Structure formats: structure tokens, C-alpha cells
Amino acid sequence: MTDALRPAAPQPLEKEGDGYFRKGCNPLAQTGRSKLQNQRAALNQQILKAVRMRTGAENLLKAATNPKVREQVRLELSFVNSDLQMLKEELEGLNISVGVYQSTEEAFTIPLIPLGLKETKDVDFSVVLKDFILEHYSEDSSLYEDEIADLMDLRQACRTPSRDEAGVELLMSYFTQLGFVESRFFPPTRQMGILFTWYDSLTGVPVSQQNLLLEKASILFNTGALYTQIGTRSNRQTQAGLESAVDAFQRAAGVLNYLKETFTHTPSYDMSPAMLSVLVKMMLAQAQESMFDKICLPGIRNEFFMLVKVAHEAAKVGEVYRQLHAAMSQAPVKENIPYSWASLACVKAHHYGALAHYFAATLLMDHQLSPGADEDHQEKCLSQLYDRMPEGLTPLATLRNGHQRQQLGKSHLLRAIAHHEESAREASLCKKLRNIEVLQEVLSAAHQRSRLKYAQHQEDGDLLDLVEAPNIVAKTEQEVEIILPQLSKVTAADFFQKLGPLSVFSANKRWTPPRTLRFTAEEGDLGFTLRGNSPVQVHFLDPHCSAALAGAKEGDYIVSIQNVDCKWLTLSEVMKLLKSFGEDAIEMKVVSLLDSASSMHSKSATYSVGMQKTYSMICLAIDDDDKTDKTKKISKKLSFLSWGANKNRQKSASTLCLPAAGVARPQAKKKLLSPFSLLNPDSSLY
């Protein structure tokens, strides 16, 4: 189906020797999906341009007072809205693309719906992170150029993940890395000035924020989207392929559900709670459909109990798609969900409902109750097949009466034909679905099969004599479930590990600049003991020892000894290193943690993104006693919904703090947040 879009035997672009491409990334592969993503990116730019033009026209319409000018603006506004609608329909066509995302194996199956990856703009971490390393950690930022480059390369690789488990691992490793980056470089009291821009995968509208949570949420969304592409790409003609599809859709539902419950205030339509709820339902529906295909793959035996089971399974698939279509038809999802997706859900609901009635008709019309049959078991199965028996009929009497079986079977066939006609009508109303040949072929073949079977048993008085066939109970022996992402099992090395243990050296803690102490051990006695583990602290300091006279204080963290980095050394290793110098002079660097009041910078430069120009102001802290309370105030965190809100435009959006030495105060112990601590479902930031 897609041979023209995909090379016959694509070669891996990874170079194991020099690591030119990261594992799980294939940015130069000229596959159909990469072309599709390029088209999506181009459409996003056109939509952005049209949105800006519409905003300008609306503002001009509000400001203009001349009737002729207002009439001209209204005309231009109508043209812009028409262009936006056309671009949206074109983007919708990419979202329903079958020739790219479906399996390359020729299959007589209804296509599945994948999610497209969110596009993003390039982000330069280098300047901001270098400044923060120099200012906050008092280290030479040039020593971290490789680590910053690795972070930027990893982000770039995540824009084109390969459609396999390696691609998923790539995205999750970057997500884990963002947890470390957030803890080390994004203090909770200010913005860092790094702007993240992501495009809505459904509408193409860009969302820009300085909040790292937008980056995290978008990576999670792309992880779920990649799972959907793995599921649709699986070979549905094999048992292993169908198992892979079921697993991929369940994992996609798990990732999207985790995103919905964790990031509750996203400013992007495709990541809103309502939209994510629908997407979760869609993934579970497609997983249930793949489970049905798995049951039918070995073939459906024309046997009573087998047909009962398949009828229940088909009814279950039809029910989940009916629920999905109902969810897609509710506001506000209805305005942004692709029309072709809602249409396909409705088509599948009727199609699988028709199959359920067809199998019920087959088990009634093709099987008579023989003398040696298990009468009680068949009666039980038939009674459980329906939500209610037709008036005047009982399961056992129907099984024993051949005429009643035939009449009830024909009633099921008529309902099956009605469902087939409705599914064909829904498919014909959507232009995108009309162009999917395999869909039209599957619907036509199923419809024709039901019509032929009814024609074989049709009688003149059927329309008057037949009772309405009851509904078939939706039931499955293999219920699909959400598989939650195992984020705790994702392993990724902290790129900035050299800065020290995250429990101490993080963005939300402040300490004095490194102090150099020169002292000697008198008669083998250092004059202090050590405690803690990576980094080690000075403890029980003798106020008259050489180290104390050199400026050491209890609670100081030892960061280096004789230019040997000690931030990751254990207590025994540091003690061994100190004793190795004997009575020679020792040069040791230490830092002291500051409390919350001292952690506020005495000088800061702020600017507001709401202004057309950048205005800077140096704020000098006043040490007067009556001003002490003001210096302890911490600016309120900006809500994640601040993007696009006029009332927040005048607030400070970024603060660049200048280093300032302070006096050590009693240590205020705080519990350090883990890299994933900001993913609390109760967080009000996102």
C-alpha cells in the first residue's frame, strides 16, 4: 500500500563508531512519515501566519471607526477565516493519512487512527545554562559545553524518533533528563528566559511558554503518539503483530491518561483534559478492535458456541466505538477533533454492530438442536446472548422450534443490513473516508455477505411477520486495560552530574561562594569530624584548630581538596584523602548553605515579555530592619495558563539574578524534590 513512499530496504543511519545519530533517531530517512511530518510543519507555519493576520484584522476592526474601513476589514477577515478553515482541513487530511501510518502488509482490514507527533521550534540552552552555572554554582561554565551540547542534541533527536521501542526509549530518556535539568537550573521563584514553542498536533496553533512543564507534557504526548504509530504499523495478519498492536494501544492510553491526570492546565487543545479523555477512549477502542482481530485470525468455525463468543466480541467493539463517537460529539472536543476521526468511529460502531447480528443470525439459522446436543448449555448461551428475549419467545423453545430460529435469524440479518447501510452512508459523507479504498472494500464485502444470506431465506411476508431482533450483549473474555508508563524504571544518566549530588546542588538551594581554606593537621588531628555522604560536611569543629582559624564552620560542605573534586566522594574516601597529607598544608574548598532569606539575590534584573521593548531595572536590597520582611517575600509562581492572558502580560516573566555573597545563617533543612516531584497531580503549576 505504501511501497511508493517507503524504500524497499531502508538502511540504518546510525554509525556505531562515532555515534553520529542517537539510537532511536533517524532524521534523514526519506520515509513517508518524515515527509508527512515536513508537510505538517509547513502547515503549522501557514496556520500561524493566518492566525496572526486574523488577530491583526480583529484588532483593526475594533479600533476603526470609518464605516468603509470596517467593511473592508470584515471582508478581509472573512477571507482569512476561509483560509484557516482550508488549512485545518488539510491538516486533518494528514491526521487521517492511511498510506503512511498503516502496515505495509496487504490487509483486508479497516484502518486504525494514529496520532501525529507535535512539532517544535529549536531551543538554545547554552547561554542561559552557562550563565546559571557561573552565577548559581560558581563554576567555570566552559567546562560544561559538552554536556549542554548533549542536551540540545538529545532534544533535536527527539523531534524525529524512530517508530519502535528505541524511539520510545529516546523520548523517555529526554523526559527523565528534563527532570534533572529542572531541578538543577529552574528555580521555583523565577523564570529562566528559555522559550519553549510547541504546535498543536490537531489544530496547528503554536503554544509558547517559558515553563519547562510545557516541554515535559509535549514529550509525553509524543510518546503516546509514537505508541499509536507503532500500533497502526503492526502487521495485523499475524498473531505477534496483533499482540504488538494491542500492547502499543494500551501503552498509548496509559501515557495519555498519565498526561491528563498529571498536567491538568495545559494551554494546548490537544493536551486539554477533555481531548485527552477522548484520545484515551480512542486508543482503548482500537486495542479492543485489535483483540477482536486476534480472536478471528485463526478463522471462525461455523460452530454454535464459537459463533456466540464472536457475536459477543463484535458487539463489544461496536459498543466502545459508539461510546467513543458520543464523546467526540460533545463540546468542546467536537470543535477540534478531526471530522474524519469522528466519522470513522461512527462507521466502526455500525460495522461491528452489524457483524454481531450477522453471527447471531448464523448460529440460529445454520444450527439445529440435535438429540445428542448439550441442550442446557445452548439454552444458557442463548439467554445470555441477549439483553432481553423477544416477546413470546423463550430460549429453550426457540432452540427446539426450527421455524422460530429461522424467523429470529432473519430479524438479526435485517438489523445487520440496516447497520451496514448506515456505516456505508457515514463513510460516504466524509471526503477523507471516501478516498480510503480498503475501507470501502471491507464495508461493501460485509454488506454483500449479509444481503446474500438474507436473500437465501427471504419470504414474501417477512416484513410483517418478523419481530424486531433484540440487542446483543457486549461482552469480552479479554478486556483491554490501560498500561501506565513505568517512569521510575527509566534510566538516564544526569548530564550535569559534575555539579554534585542533586540533594544539595540544585536550583532551589543557595549557598555561599566557595571559600578556600588552608590549614594543617596538628599531630595528625584535623580538629573536626565529618558527617554525611556525598557531599561530606564538617562536623564537631574545634574552634581553636587550624581549620577553624582558616574560616571553617560547622555544616560546611567540602567540595574539593587540593583541586580534587570531592562532591561525589563518600565520607571514608574524604577522610582517607585528608589523612594522606599527614602534617603537610591542606588546601580545601567549602561552601555553606544559606537560609531562605539569604537565598534571595541582593541584585536582580527583570524584564517583562508583555512590553514591546526590554526594560531592565537593578533592584538593590535594603538591609534596614523594617524592610526585612519584604526581602523575605517570594514572588508568586506564574500559572501555566499565563500564556495568552493579558492580565499576566505585565508581570515579570524572567529574572536574571546577579551573584552576591551573604553571611551564613542557621541551616534550614529542606526535603529536596526529586526530578519528577513537579509531576504531582495536585500541582497548580500545570
Side-chain angles (χ1 to χ4, degrees):
M1 187 189 307
T2 58
D3 291 341
L5 295 176
R6 297 179 68 255
Q11 299 297 323
L13 296 181
E14 255 182 79
K15 297 182 180 180
E16 297 181 0
D18 54 9
Y20 188 68
F21 291 122
R22 287 185 177 273
K23 181 181 179 181
C25 173
N26 198 3
L28 300 183
Q30 291 301 312
T31 62
R33 189 186 63 157
S34 65
K35 295 178 182 178
L36 195 65
Q37 288 297 109
N38 291 336
Q39 296 176 31
R40 189 188 303 277
L43 276 177
N44 288 337
Q45 295 297 329
Q46 296 179 42
I47 290 174
L48 175 59
K49 180 179 178 181
V51 168
R52 288 174 175 173
M53 291 179 62
R54 184 176 67 178
T55 302
E58 290 174 346
N59 292 336
L60 182 58
L61 185 63
K62 293 178 181 178
T65 56
N66 189 306
K68 292 184 178 180
V69 173
R70 292 178 61 85
E71 185 65 27
Q72 184 67 26
V73 172
R74 288 194 184 96
L75 181 61
E76 293 294 334
L77 193 58
S78 65
F79 287 144
V80 172
N81 287 330
S82 298
D83 290 341
L84 268 176
Q85 184 63 30
M86 293 176 63
L87 290 172
K88 182 180 178 181
E89 292 177 359
E90 193 172 348
L91 185 63
E92 176 185 322
L94 297 182
N95 289 331
I96 197 62
S97 177
V98 175
V100 174
Y101 287 111
Q102 305 299 321
S103 173
T104 55
E105 302 292 334
E106 291 294 337
F108 196 67
T109 54
I110 298 180
L112 300 170
I113 301 176
L115 294 179
L117 301 180
K118 292 172 69 71
E119 295 291 338
T120 182
K121 290 184 178 181
D122 292 335
V123 173
D124 187 1
F125 289 98
S126 57
V127 175
V128 174
L129 296 193
K130 280 184 177 181
D131 289 346
F132 193 80
I133 289 173
L134 179 62
E135 165 230 330
H136 188 79
Y137 294 98
S138 302
E139 293 199 23
D140 186 358
S141 58
S142 63
L143 300 177
Y144 292 87
E145 291 181 351
D146 290 342
E147 286 78 4
I148 296 175
D150 286 341
L151 177 64
M152 295 175 65
D153 289 344
L154 179 59
R155 186 183 191 275
Q156 184 66 23
C158 287
R159 299 177 68 175
T160 54
S162 58
R163 189 160 39 190
D164 50 27
E165 285 298 326
V168 174
E169 291 177 5
L170 178 71
L171 291 173
M172 295 311 298
S173 65
Y174 179 59
F175 179 80
T176 305
Q177 200 63 233
L178 287 176
F180 294 126
V181 171
E182 183 176 27
S183 297
R184 291 197 183 277
F185 300 106
F186 285 78
T189 56
R190 61 170 170 140
Q191 301 289 348
M192 290 299 295
I194 300 179
L195 191 66
F196 300 98
T197 301
W198 288 85
Y199 291 90
D200 192 296
S201 66
L202 301 179
T203 64
V205 176
V207 173
S208 300
Q209 283 200 351
Q210 295 186 35
N211 200 320
L212 193 65
L213 294 179
L214 175 61
E215 183 89 346
K216 286 185 174 182
S218 299
I219 291 297
L220 277 181
F221 183 91
N222 277 0
T223 303
L226 191 59
Y227 271 125
T228 68
Q229 296 178 16
I230 293 174
T232 56
R233 196 64 171 176
S234 300
N235 184 2
R236 296 163 68 189
Q237 300 301 303
T238 65
Q239 196 81 1
L242 287 170
E243 290 176 356
S244 174
V246 172
D247 180 74
F249 286 124
Q250 288 177 308
R251 293 185 182 277
V255 172
L256 296 175
N257 187 69
Y258 178 83
L259 176 59
K260 180 193 70 172
E261 294 181 351
T262 306
F263 302 90
T264 55
H265 299 291
T266 52
S268 182
Y269 289 122
D270 55 356
M271 296 191 295
S272 64
M275 181 63 72
L276 288 174
S277 297
V278 171
L279 295 181
V280 170
K281 289 179 181 293
M282 185 170 73
M283 296 307 115
L284 292 178
Q286 296 189 136
Q288 194 68 57
E289 180 183 0
S290 300
M291 187 69 74
F292 176 78
D293 292 341
K294 178 184 173 183
I295 295 173
C296 299
L297 183 63
I300 302 174
R301 300 187 310 275
N302 194 357
E303 187 265 330
F304 184 88
F305 299 110
M306 181 66 184
L307 291 172
V308 170
K309 174 184 176 181
V310 175
H312 280 306
E313 295 286 348
K316 178 65 175 180
V317 178
E319 181 185 58
V320 294
Y321 273 112
R322 278 195 298 274
Q323 294 173 353
L324 173 62
H325 181 258
M328 288 180 170
S329 303
Q330 300 295 322
V333 175
K334 183 179 180 180
E335 303 299 326
N336 299 306
I337 202 79
Y339 174 68
S340 53
W341 290 9
S343 298
L344 186 58
C346 185
V347 167
K348 289 187 177 184
H350 287 292
H351 174 71
Y352 285 101
L355 291 184
H357 284 286
Y358 174 80
F359 292 130
T362 303
L363 71 89
L364 288 170
M365 302 174 72
D366 291 1
H367 298 278
Q368 300 296 330
L369 188 62
S370 58
D374 189 348
E375 188 176 282
D376 293 338
H377 193 192
Q378 288 195 16
E379 179 187 8
K380 180 180 179 181
C381 288
L382 186 61
S383 63
Q384 293 178 350
L385 182 65
Y386 303 130
D387 55 356
R388 60 171 181 81
M389 285 294 295
E391 185 177 355
L393 298 180
T394 61
L396 185 58
T398 303
L399 289 173
R400 291 175 175 175
N401 190 320
H403 178 70
Q404 287 185 5
R405 292 171 69 115
Q406 292 292 324
Q407 293 297 95
L408 185 56
K410 286 190 287 186
S411 298
H412 280 296
L413 286 176
L414 287 178
R415 286 200 64 178
I417 292 172
H419 278 300
H420 283 310
E421 291 175 348
E422 186 64 22
S423 65
R425 187 186 71 84
E426 286 288 341
S428 66
L429 293 177
C430 179
K431 178 181 177 181
K432 305 300 179 182
L433 299 185
R434 288 200 303 267
N435 296 332
I436 302 177
E437 295 181 2
V438 66
L439 174 62
Q440 301 296 331
E441 293 173 0
V442 171
L443 297 180
S444 177
H447 188 193
Q448 187 67 15
R449 181 178 58 182
S450 296
R451 291 180 59 187
L452 287 175
K453 192 169 186 64
Y454 178 73
Q456 294 173 359
H457 302 83
Q458 184 177 9
E459 297 177 358
D460 293 338
D462 282 349
L463 294 179
L464 298 176
D465 298 338
L466 296 179
V467 297
E468 183 181 0
N471 295 325
I472 297 174
V473 174
K475 187 170 61 175
T476 178
E477 296 180 359
Q478 302 182 45
E479 191 84 34
V480 296
E481 297 178 349
I482 290 175
I483 300 180
L484 295 176
Q486 301 295 325
L487 298 179
S488 59
K489 295 183 179 180
V490 179
T491 58
D494 183 4
F495 285 161
F496 300 93
Q497 190 176 13
K498 292 190 301 184
L499 290 173
L502 199 55
S503 59
V504 175
F505 300 98
S506 61
N508 66 340
K509 290 193 176 183
R510 298 288 303 174
W511 48 86
T512 61
R515 308 191 309 277
T516 302
L517 312 178
R518 294 179 178 84
F519 62 94
T520 58
E522 301 171 357
E523 298 180 357
D525 183 14
L526 295 171
F528 58 87
T529 60
L530 302 177
R531 71 173 180 181
N533 196 22
S534 301
V536 175
Q537 286 181 278
V538 175
H539 192 49
F540 291 132
L541 179 66
D542 182 357
H544 303 292
C545 70
S546 176
L549 296 177
K553 301 175 183 177
E554 284 195 20
D556 282 348
Y557 287 95
I558 301 175
V559 295
S560 69
I561 299 173
Q562 296 291 116
N563 295 324
V564 176
D565 195 311
C566 298
K567 291 192 288 289
W568 284 99
L569 296 185
T570 63
L571 187 147
S572 59
E573 290 171 336
V574 173
M575 183 61 72
K576 181 179 179 181
L577 181 60
L578 287 171
K579 289 184 177 180
S580 65
F581 295 102
E583 296 186 358
D584 295 339
I586 302 174
E587 182 177 295
M588 183 173 70
K589 288 187 178 180
V590 297
V591 296
S592 301
L593 278 180
L594 302 175
D595 61 11
S596 59
S598 299
S599 64
M600 299 298 292
H601 293 288
S602 59
K603 298 181 180 181
S604 64
T606 65
Y607 70 90
S608 173
V609 294
M611 303 178 181
Q612 294 182 354
K613 297 181 180 180
T614 301
Y615 294 87
S616 298
M617 178 177 64
I618 302 299
C619 304
L620 301 179
I622 303 176
D623 295 332
D624 296 344
D625 294 338
D626 58 342
K627 300 295 183 179
T628 302
D629 293 337
K630 294 184 178 181
T631 61
K632 293 185 179 181
K633 290 184 179 180
I634 299 178
S635 59
K636 184 179 179 181
K637 299 177 183 177
L638 288 178
S639 170
F640 199 15
L641 287 174
S642 61
W643 179 81
N646 293 332
K647 64 181 181 179
N648 290 326
R649 286 301 183 95
Q650 301 303 322
K651 295 183 179 180
S652 174
S654 178
T655 305
L656 177 61
C657 298
L658 305 178
V663 180
R665 302 193 180 185
Q667 181 179 352
K669 295 184 180 179
K670 297 181 181 179
K671 183 179 180 182
L672 181 65
L673 298 175
S674 67
F676 299 108
S677 59
L678 288 181
L679 299 183
N680 191 311
D682 298 329
S683 173
S684 61
L685 275 177
Y686 204 101

